[in-house]
């Protein structure tokens, strides 16, 4: 049994680490007006405090988050103390403070085992959903968790859900989580596990996954210190997987979706540039005088045919941070990730995918951002204390 657990990299598990690994799944739930993304995080804070009782020491993060909160409080005064904005600030304080509380309390080896374990469970869910689709099912919904309220089926994420998504709200959320186990499999040089994770990411038919997973592997092969033959093997394996992706009927729906995507009209790509092109220069530099993009649009700061679509107005992280916090806020946001690479260059594959994902996903200063930051900081903290490298 121990040999199997070691083979799967799940021989070490911990309560706080399992709570962190489970967080991206449970954050989609809520009890009435109380989101589990906050409640679960507070529980993690309590567990972390009793385990470690020390906060993270990172001056750059403290400065960046202080800037973000200062910006929010200035806008709060300008907006006239809107209750919805106050709630947003409270949530933001919990999110950002939790990074300083949880990250230093994490045991790296237990975190790795926990992330792998939840990754296996998530992959099993993807395979289950894929089998349902093969059997003729026309509708796929997230696999519900027991003892929790039903997910909000009025959410936009439930629309057109005919793709595997496992326990997550949408395939892109599954991919965002699986990028970490995929990165760990590369660091551990577990090529079989790498291929399995890429296979499951491709099964999700997520455009993000089809693009980001190969990017991570390519960056790992280029930036890593592996032997030449190892790099050749990695690239051959990647080419083989991509060839299989584009030629196997198993992944046909995902490829059809990718080929049918007009990126010039896709809201994940085009909304941001359009909105910035309509904004006054001072708003681009200093950020919007409102706390949300929807409010910014509804108050008539910009005009155009897309304003009428503000109920579904989507912004990826790059454009969201630029629009809300201005050029200076965006530079600070990017500087945090650059500082991570300077501290540990083995993070390049994961950070590179996050840079690309800035233009497709929306997680900045939200629950999933906390998950990403805690993982990166625990990773850096472990290897700074140890000379051991996988």
């Amino acid at each position: 049994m121990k040999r199997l657990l070691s083979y799967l990299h799940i021989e070490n598990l911990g309560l706080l680490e399992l709570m962190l690994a489970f967080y991206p799944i449970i954050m989609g739930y809520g009890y009435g007006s109380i989101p589990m993304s906050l409640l679960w995080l507070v529980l993690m804070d309590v567990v972390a405090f009793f385990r470690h009782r020390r906060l993270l020491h990172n001056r750059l993060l403290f400065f960046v988050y202080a800037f973000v909160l200062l910006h929010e409080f200035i806008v709060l005064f300008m907006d006239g103390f809107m209750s919805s904005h106050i709630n947003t600030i409270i949530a933001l304080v919990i999110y950002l403070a939790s990074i300083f509380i949880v990250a230093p309390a994490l045991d790296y080896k237990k975190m790795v085992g926990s992330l792998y374990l939840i990754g296996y469970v998530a992959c099993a869910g993807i395979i289950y959903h894929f089998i349902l689709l093969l059997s003729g099912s026309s509708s796929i919904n997230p696999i519900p968790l027991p003892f929790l309220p039903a997910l909000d089926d009025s959410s936009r994420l439930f629309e057109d859900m005919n793709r595997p998504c496992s326990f997550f709200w949408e395939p892109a959320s599954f991919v965002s989580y699986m990028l970490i186990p995929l990165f760990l499999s590369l660091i551990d040089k577990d090529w079989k596990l790498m291929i399995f994770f890429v296979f499951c990411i491709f099964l999700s038919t997520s455009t993000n996954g089809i693009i980001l997973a190969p990017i991570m592997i390519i960056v790992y092969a280029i930036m890593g210190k592996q032997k030449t033959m190892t790099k050749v093997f990695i690239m051959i394996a990647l080419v083989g997987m991509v060839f299989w992706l584009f030629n196997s009927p198993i992944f046909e729906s995902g490829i059809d979706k990718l080929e049918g995507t007009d990126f010039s009209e896709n809201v994940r790509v085009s909304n941001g540039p359009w909105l910035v092109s309509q904004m006054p220069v001072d708003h681009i530099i200093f950020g919007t005088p409102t706390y949300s993009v929807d409010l910014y649009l509804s108050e008539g700061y910009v005009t155009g045919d897309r304003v009428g679509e503000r109920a579904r107005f989507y912004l990826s992280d790059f454009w969201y941070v630029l629009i809300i916090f201005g050029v200076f806020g965006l530079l600070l946001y990017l500087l945090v990730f650059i500082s991570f690479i300077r501290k540990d260059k083995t993070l390049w594959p994961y950070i590179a995918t996050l840079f690309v994902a800035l233009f497709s996903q929306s997680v900045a200063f939200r629950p999933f951002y906390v998950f990403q930051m805690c993982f990166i900081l625990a990773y850096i903290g472990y290897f700074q204390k140890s000379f051991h490298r996988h």
Side-chain angles (χ1 to χ4, degrees):
M1 186 64 178
K2 289 184 178 180
R3 188 174 181 180
L4 175 61
L5 294 178
S6 178
Y7 180 78
L8 296 174
H9 306 284
I10 57 175
E11 66 269 36
N12 295 301
L13 301 172
L15 174 60
L16 179 62
E17 292 74 18
L18 280 171
M19 293 178 72
L20 176 70
F22 193 53
Y23 185 52
I25 294 177
I26 205 169
M27 67 175 58
Y29 292 83
Y31 287 97
S33 61
I34 304 176
M36 285 297 291
S37 59
L38 288 178
L39 182 58
W40 194 258
L41 204 52
V42 171
L43 292 175
M44 288 174 58
D45 291 341
V46 172
V47 174
F49 177 77
F50 281 103
R51 175 191 286 190
H52 193 66
R53 296 180 182 270
R54 291 183 182 178
L55 299 179
L56 174 74
H57 295 285
N58 189 307
R59 292 181 180 179
L60 176 60
L61 278 183
F62 180 82
F63 178 76
V64 172
Y65 296 161
F67 169 83
V68 169
L69 292 174
L70 177 61
H71 177 276
E72 290 298 311
F73 278 109
I74 292 174
V75 173
L76 179 66
F77 281 99
M78 295 174 61
D79 272 349
F81 292 89
M82 298 176 62
S83 59
S84 56
H85 192 187
I86 293 174
N87 292 336
T88 299
I89 291 177
I90 293 173
L92 188 60
V93 169
I94 295 175
Y95 294 150
L96 300 183
S98 295
I99 295 173
F100 288 88
I101 298 171
V102 174
L106 292 167
D107 180 293
Y108 175 75
K109 291 185 178 180
K110 291 180 180 178
M111 180 183 69
V112 169
S114 301
L115 289 168
Y116 272 129
L117 178 61
I118 300 301
Y120 296 141
V121 173
C123 287
I126 282 291
I127 295 172
Y128 167 71
H129 272 171
F130 185 75
I131 292 173
L132 286 182
L133 288 173
L134 287 181
S135 65
S137 177
S138 59
S139 178
I140 297 293
N141 289 322
I143 302 172
L145 297 177
F147 312 115
L148 286 174
L151 288 166
D152 181 12
D153 58 9
S154 64
S155 168
R156 69 172 180 86
L157 300 179
F158 273 78
E159 297 179 7
D160 301 324
M161 188 57 70
N162 59 352
R163 296 182 293 149
C165 57
S166 188
F167 296 89
F168 297 85
W169 280 40
E170 59 175 343
S173 298
F174 165 78
V175 168
S176 295
Y177 178 87
M178 289 306 302
L179 286 176
I180 291 183
L182 176 59
F183 168 71
L184 291 173
S185 69
L186 290 170
I187 296 299
D188 292 332
K189 294 182 173 62
D190 192 327
W191 312 127
K192 293 180 181 178
L193 201 53
M194 176 199 75
I195 293 172
F196 172 71
F197 287 151
V198 172
F199 171 75
C200 291
I201 288 173
F202 285 172
L203 280 186
S204 72
T205 70
S206 168
T207 304
N208 269 4
I210 294 174
I211 295 174
L212 295 180
I215 287 176
M216 178 179 287
I217 296 172
I218 291 172
V219 173
Y220 174 79
I222 294 175
M223 302 298 294
K225 297 181 180 180
Q226 301 80 22
K227 296 179 181 179
T228 302
M229 288 305 299
T230 301
K231 292 186 176 184
V232 171
F233 166 77
I234 293 172
M235 296 306 297
I236 291 175
L238 178 60
V239 170
M241 287 186 289
V242 172
F243 180 82
W244 187 30
L245 169 68
F246 281 89
N247 291 276
S248 173
I250 296 177
F251 308 109
E252 184 175 355
S253 60
I255 295 303
D256 289 344
K257 179 178 179 294
L258 178 63
E259 293 177 345
T261 299
D262 184 352
F263 289 98
S264 64
E265 297 295 330
N266 186 278
V267 295
R268 291 178 180 267
V269 178
S270 61
N271 272 358
W274 175 84
L275 182 53
V276 170
S277 70
Q278 307 298 311
M279 293 171 60
V281 175
D282 58 324
H283 289 182
I284 297 175
I285 296 175
F286 301 107
T288 61
T290 61
Y291 79 95
S292 75
V293 175
D294 287 340
L295 186 61
Y296 185 71
L297 293 174
S298 66
E299 292 190 358
Y301 286 101
V302 300
T303 59
D305 55 353
R306 300 196 184 200
V307 173
E309 303 173 9
R310 61 179 176 271
R312 296 175 178 273
F313 204 88
Y314 181 95
L315 284 176
S316 61
D317 285 335
F318 181 90
W319 301 107
Y320 169 79
V321 176
L322 172 61
I323 290 166
I324 295 296
F325 301 103
V327 172
F328 186 61
L330 176 62
L331 292 177
L332 288 176
Y333 185 82
L334 297 176
L335 183 60
V336 169
F337 292 100
I338 294 173
S339 71
F340 292 153
I341 296 175
R342 293 182 64 182
K343 289 182 179 179
D344 195 324
K345 289 182 172 55
T346 63
L347 275 167
W348 252 116
Y350 184 57
I351 300 298
T353 60
L354 292 186
F355 278 144
V356 177
L358 284 173
F359 296 92
S360 62
Q361 68 177 8
S362 181
V363 303
F365 306 126
R366 295 181 175 94
F368 204 91
Y369 175 84
V370 178
F371 171 72
Q372 291 176 334
M373 290 296 104
C374 286
F375 165 73
I376 293 172
L377 291 166
Y379 180 95
I380 292 174
Y382 174 74
F383 285 114
Q384 281 186 335
K385 297 175 184 176
S386 172
F387 292 103
H388 173 68
R389 277 292 179 196
H390 294 284

